[in-house]
Amino acid sequence: MRDLFVRESGNPKGPTVILLHGGPGLPGYMCTLAERLERDAFVVDYYQRGSLKSPSPGPFKIDDHVRDLDALIRRYTRGRKPLLIGSSWGAILALCYAAAKPGRIAKAIVIGTGPLDKACSEKFSATIAARLPYKEHLKARALKARFFSAKGSAARRGALYLEWCSVIFRVYNKD
Protein backbone atom coordinates (compact mmCIF):
# COMPACT_ATOMS: atom_id res chain seq x y z
CA MET A 1 0.00 0.00 0.00
CA ARG A 2 1.86 3.02 -1.29
CA ASP A 3 1.64 6.06 0.98
CA LEU A 4 -2.13 6.36 0.68
CA PHE A 5 -3.78 9.12 2.69
CA VAL A 6 -6.15 7.58 5.25
CA ARG A 7 -8.64 9.32 7.51
CA GLU A 8 -9.69 7.20 10.50
CA SER A 9 -12.62 8.11 12.72
CA GLY A 10 -15.31 6.68 14.91
CA ASN A 11 -15.72 3.92 17.42
CA PRO A 12 -12.67 1.60 17.57
CA LYS A 13 -14.83 -1.07 19.24
CA GLY A 14 -17.31 -1.11 16.37
CA PRO A 15 -17.04 -2.92 13.06
CA THR A 16 -14.57 -1.56 10.53
CA VAL A 17 -16.16 0.20 7.58
CA ILE A 18 -13.95 1.15 4.63
CA LEU A 19 -15.31 3.87 2.35
CA LEU A 20 -14.47 3.73 -1.36
CA HIS A 21 -14.90 7.04 -3.18
CA GLY A 22 -15.82 7.50 -6.80
CA GLY A 23 -14.02 9.05 -9.66
CA PRO A 24 -11.52 7.58 -9.59
CA GLY A 25 -9.93 10.68 -8.24
CA LEU A 26 -12.84 12.26 -6.36
CA PRO A 27 -12.03 11.65 -2.69
CA GLY A 28 -13.58 13.32 0.32
CA TYR A 29 -17.26 13.42 -0.57
CA MET A 30 -18.11 10.41 1.57
CA CYS A 31 -17.21 12.32 4.76
CA THR A 32 -20.89 12.97 5.53
CA LEU A 33 -21.53 9.22 5.45
CA ALA A 34 -18.48 8.72 7.69
CA GLU A 35 -19.93 11.20 10.20
CA ARG A 36 -23.19 9.22 10.35
CA LEU A 37 -21.37 5.95 10.95
CA GLU A 38 -18.79 7.14 13.49
CA ARG A 39 -20.86 6.50 16.61
CA ASP A 40 -21.25 2.80 15.85
CA ALA A 41 -18.33 1.93 13.56
CA PHE A 42 -14.64 2.49 13.04
CA VAL A 43 -14.51 4.28 9.68
CA VAL A 44 -11.58 4.25 7.27
CA ASP A 45 -11.86 6.76 4.44
CA TYR A 46 -8.84 6.52 2.18
CA TYR A 47 -7.80 8.44 -0.91
CA GLN A 48 -7.12 5.96 -3.67
CA ARG A 49 -3.85 6.10 -5.61
CA GLY A 50 -3.60 9.16 -7.82
CA SER A 51 -6.14 11.11 -5.74
CA LEU A 52 -5.06 14.45 -4.29
CA LYS A 53 -3.40 13.46 -1.00
CA SER A 54 -2.40 10.03 -2.38
CA PRO A 55 -0.34 11.05 -5.40
CA SER A 56 1.12 8.29 -7.50
CA PRO A 57 3.00 8.13 -10.77
CA GLY A 58 0.82 5.11 -11.58
CA PRO A 59 -0.01 2.57 -12.64
CA PHE A 60 -3.75 3.07 -12.33
CA LYS A 61 -5.00 -0.36 -13.28
CA ILE A 62 -7.83 -2.13 -11.50
CA ASP A 63 -5.46 -4.82 -10.21
CA ASP A 64 -3.33 -2.10 -8.59
CA HIS A 65 -6.37 -0.60 -6.86
CA VAL A 66 -7.42 -4.07 -5.68
CA ARG A 67 -3.90 -4.67 -4.28
CA ASP A 68 -3.99 -1.30 -2.48
CA LEU A 69 -7.39 -2.12 -1.01
CA ASP A 70 -6.22 -5.59 0.04
CA ALA A 71 -3.25 -4.08 1.89
CA LEU A 72 -5.59 -1.60 3.56
CA ILE A 73 -8.00 -4.38 4.58
CA ARG A 74 -5.15 -6.46 6.00
CA ARG A 75 -3.97 -3.41 7.95
CA TYR A 76 -7.39 -2.65 9.42
CA THR A 77 -8.79 -6.14 9.97
CA ARG A 78 -9.01 -6.45 13.74
CA GLY A 79 -10.48 -9.89 14.27
CA ARG A 80 -13.56 -9.10 12.17
CA LYS A 81 -13.91 -8.78 8.45
CA PRO A 82 -14.52 -5.20 7.36
CA LEU A 83 -17.51 -3.86 5.49
CA LEU A 84 -16.90 -1.99 2.22
CA ILE A 85 -19.15 0.87 1.13
CA GLY A 86 -18.40 2.07 -2.37
CA SER A 87 -19.89 4.87 -4.43
CA SER A 88 -19.71 5.06 -8.24
CA TRP A 89 -16.18 3.92 -9.19
CA GLY A 90 -15.78 2.89 -5.53
CA ALA A 91 -18.77 0.56 -5.96
CA ILE A 92 -17.07 -1.05 -8.95
CA LEU A 93 -13.86 -1.36 -6.91
CA ALA A 94 -15.79 -3.03 -4.07
CA LEU A 95 -17.27 -5.57 -6.51
CA CYS A 96 -13.87 -6.20 -8.11
CA TYR A 97 -12.33 -6.73 -4.68
CA ALA A 98 -15.09 -9.11 -3.57
CA ALA A 99 -14.61 -11.15 -6.76
CA ALA A 100 -10.80 -11.18 -6.53
CA LYS A 101 -10.55 -11.86 -2.79
CA PRO A 102 -13.59 -13.91 -1.79
CA GLY A 103 -14.20 -14.28 1.93
CA ARG A 104 -12.05 -11.33 3.05
CA ILE A 105 -14.89 -8.88 3.69
CA ALA A 106 -18.12 -9.11 5.66
CA LYS A 107 -20.20 -7.28 3.03
CA ALA A 108 -19.95 -4.89 0.14
CA ILE A 109 -22.54 -2.15 -0.14
CA VAL A 110 -22.59 -0.49 -3.55
CA ILE A 111 -24.08 2.93 -4.15
CA GLY A 112 -24.69 3.79 -7.78
CA THR A 113 -21.98 2.06 -9.72
CA GLY A 114 -20.32 4.13 -12.38
CA PRO A 115 -21.19 3.49 -16.01
CA LEU A 116 -20.67 -0.16 -16.84
CA ASP A 117 -20.94 0.11 -20.62
CA LYS A 118 -20.38 2.66 -23.37
CA ALA A 119 -24.05 3.71 -23.67
CA CYS A 120 -24.29 4.44 -19.92
CA SER A 121 -20.98 6.28 -20.00
CA GLU A 122 -22.17 8.50 -22.85
CA LYS A 123 -25.47 9.25 -21.05
CA PHE A 124 -23.55 10.09 -17.86
CA SER A 125 -21.22 12.43 -19.77
CA ALA A 126 -24.19 14.11 -21.44
CA THR A 127 -25.86 14.65 -18.04
CA ILE A 128 -22.73 16.30 -16.64
CA ALA A 129 -22.38 18.45 -19.76
CA ALA A 130 -26.01 19.57 -19.52
CA ARG A 131 -25.49 20.71 -15.92
CA LEU A 132 -22.47 22.86 -16.71
CA PRO A 133 -22.69 26.46 -17.88
CA TYR A 134 -21.70 26.59 -21.56
CA LYS A 135 -18.20 28.05 -21.05
CA GLU A 136 -17.39 25.45 -18.38
CA HIS A 137 -18.75 22.71 -20.64
CA LEU A 138 -16.34 23.82 -23.38
CA LYS A 139 -13.45 23.91 -20.90
CA ALA A 140 -14.29 20.42 -19.59
CA ARG A 141 -14.54 19.05 -23.13
CA ALA A 142 -11.17 20.57 -24.08
CA LEU A 143 -9.52 19.17 -20.94
CA LYS A 144 -10.95 15.72 -21.60
CA ALA A 145 -9.64 15.81 -25.18
CA ARG A 146 -6.21 16.91 -23.96
CA PHE A 147 -6.22 14.10 -21.36
CA PHE A 148 -6.96 11.38 -23.93
CA SER A 149 -4.42 12.73 -26.41
CA ALA A 150 -1.77 13.57 -23.79
CA LYS A 151 1.68 12.28 -24.38
CA GLY A 152 4.24 12.13 -21.64
CA SER A 153 4.20 11.34 -17.99
CA ALA A 154 1.45 9.92 -15.85
CA ALA A 155 1.90 13.01 -13.67
CA ARG A 156 0.96 15.25 -16.63
CA ARG A 157 -2.13 13.16 -17.37
CA GLY A 158 -2.97 13.21 -13.65
CA ALA A 159 -2.75 17.01 -13.59
CA LEU A 160 -5.09 17.24 -16.58
CA TYR A 161 -7.51 14.85 -14.90
CA LEU A 162 -7.52 16.87 -11.68
CA GLU A 163 -8.11 20.07 -13.65
CA TRP A 164 -11.04 18.40 -15.43
CA CYS A 165 -12.40 17.24 -12.04
CA SER A 166 -12.20 20.79 -10.70
CA VAL A 167 -14.48 21.93 -13.54
CA ILE A 168 -17.10 19.18 -13.28
CA PHE A 169 -17.09 18.40 -9.57
CA ARG A 170 -19.56 21.09 -8.49
CA VAL A 171 -22.23 19.54 -10.74
CA TYR A 172 -21.10 15.92 -10.41
CA ASN A 173 -23.20 14.90 -7.36
CA LYS A 174 -26.46 16.70 -7.85
CA ASP A 175 -29.97 15.28 -7.63
Side-chain angles (χ1 to χ4, degrees), residues 66-160:
V66 168
R67 263 192 300 282
D68 289 345
L69 181 54
D70 191 49
L72 192 79
I73 286 171
R74 291 175 184 277
R75 177 177 166 190
Y76 285 100
T77 297
R78 303 175 331 232
R80 291 188 273 189
K81 296 176 184 176
L83 172 80
L84 302 181
I85 301 177
S87 170
S88 189
W89 150 251
I92 294 170
L93 178 56
L95 294 173
C96 290
Y97 184 84
K101 307 290 184 178
R104 292 204 185 157
I105 59 171
K107 289 182 184 181
I109 297 173
V110 296
I111 304 167
T113 66
L116 298 174
D117 62 23
K118 186 174 179 169
C120 288
S121 179
E122 288 169 355
K123 185 176 179 182
F124 177 78
S125 293
T127 300
I128 294 298
R131 292 176 180 172
L132 287 169
Y134 186 68
K135 285 185 179 182
E136 290 184 35
H137 164 70
L138 292 177
K139 183 177 180 179
R141 192 169 71 182
L143 286 166
K144 188 174 182 180
R146 285 175 53 205
F147 173 81
F148 283 109
S149 67
K151 305 270 189 284
S153 72
R156 175 69 185 131
R157 289 174 53 94
L160 285 169

Side-chain angles (χ1 to χ4, degrees), residues 10-88:
N11 181 353
K13 294 182 180 177
T16 299
V17 175
I18 299 175
L19 302 179
L20 306 173
H21 64 76
L26 298 173
Y29 70 84
M30 295 183 75
C31 63
T32 53
L33 176 58
E35 290 169 1
R36 290 179 177 241
L37 298 172
E38 288 173 344
R39 190 186 77 180
D40 300 312
F42 179 71
V43 181
V44 177
D45 187 7
Y46 85 104
Y47 286 30
Q48 298 154 19
R49 67 171 55 212
S51 300
L52 299 177
K53 296 180 182 180
S54 292
S56 173
F60 297 103
K61 296 179 180 160
I62 291 173
D63 288 347
D64 299 303
H65 284 283
V66 168
R67 263 192 300 282
D68 289 345
L69 181 54
D70 191 49
L72 192 79
I73 286 171
R74 291 175 184 277
R75 177 177 166 190
Y76 285 100
T77 297
R78 303 175 331 232
R80 291 188 273 189
K81 296 176 184 176
L83 172 80
L84 302 181
I85 301 177
S87 170
S88 189

